[in-house]
Amino acid sequence: MHMLNKRIQILFDEQLANKIVERAKQDNLSMGEFIRSAVTDKLEQEELSKKRQNAYDQIQTLREKYGKKYAKGKDSVAIIREMREERTKHLLHILHDK
């Protein structure tokens, strides 16, 4: 664990403070350890959520890019077939150039 050298004072209402105390006891943690763990988990979840959103946005961008190139009213099977044919032609071209 990192060296703990920064103190932050946080006020909780009584109900939430009681829940924290009980939960920390259940997990055999001090209140400080429990709160640090909860904050760390929240920050990691937010970071993961940002990464997922970024990946989703990239996929959407690719879908739009290739959708414009290949779709043109075709069904997905026809699109995939056309992409495969294009890939095969490209690979054959590479093989013949060697």
Side-chain angles (χ1 to χ4, degrees), residues 12 15 36 42 44 48-50 56 71 81-83 87:
F12 296 104
Q15 184 179 12
R36 282 189 294 276
K42 175 66 174 169
E44 287 173 354
L48 181 59
S49 180
K50 287 178 186 176
Y56 176 81
R81 188 173 291 123
E82 185 177 322
M83 291 172 72
R87 180 188 64 200

Side-chain angles (χ1 to χ4, degrees), residues 42-91:
K42 175 66 174 169
L43 293 173
E44 287 173 354
Q45 284 181 344
E46 287 179 354
E47 184 64 29
L48 181 59
S49 180
K50 287 178 186 176
K51 287 179 180 179
R52 285 181 177 155
Q53 184 62 49
N54 186 34
Y56 176 81
D57 292 343
Q58 289 177 356
I59 290 169
Q60 287 300 103
T61 299
L62 290 172
R63 282 184 175 164
E64 290 171 10
K65 176 182 175 181
Y66 289 104
K68 289 176 185 175
K69 181 176 179 180
Y70 291 103
K72 301 174 187 162
K74 301 174 205 163
D75 67 1
S76 59
V77 174
I79 293 169
I80 292 170
R81 188 173 291 123
E82 185 177 322
M83 291 172 72
R84 285 179 178 160
E85 289 171 2
E86 185 176 306
R87 180 188 64 200
T88 301
K89 287 177 186 176
H90 177 72
L91 292 173

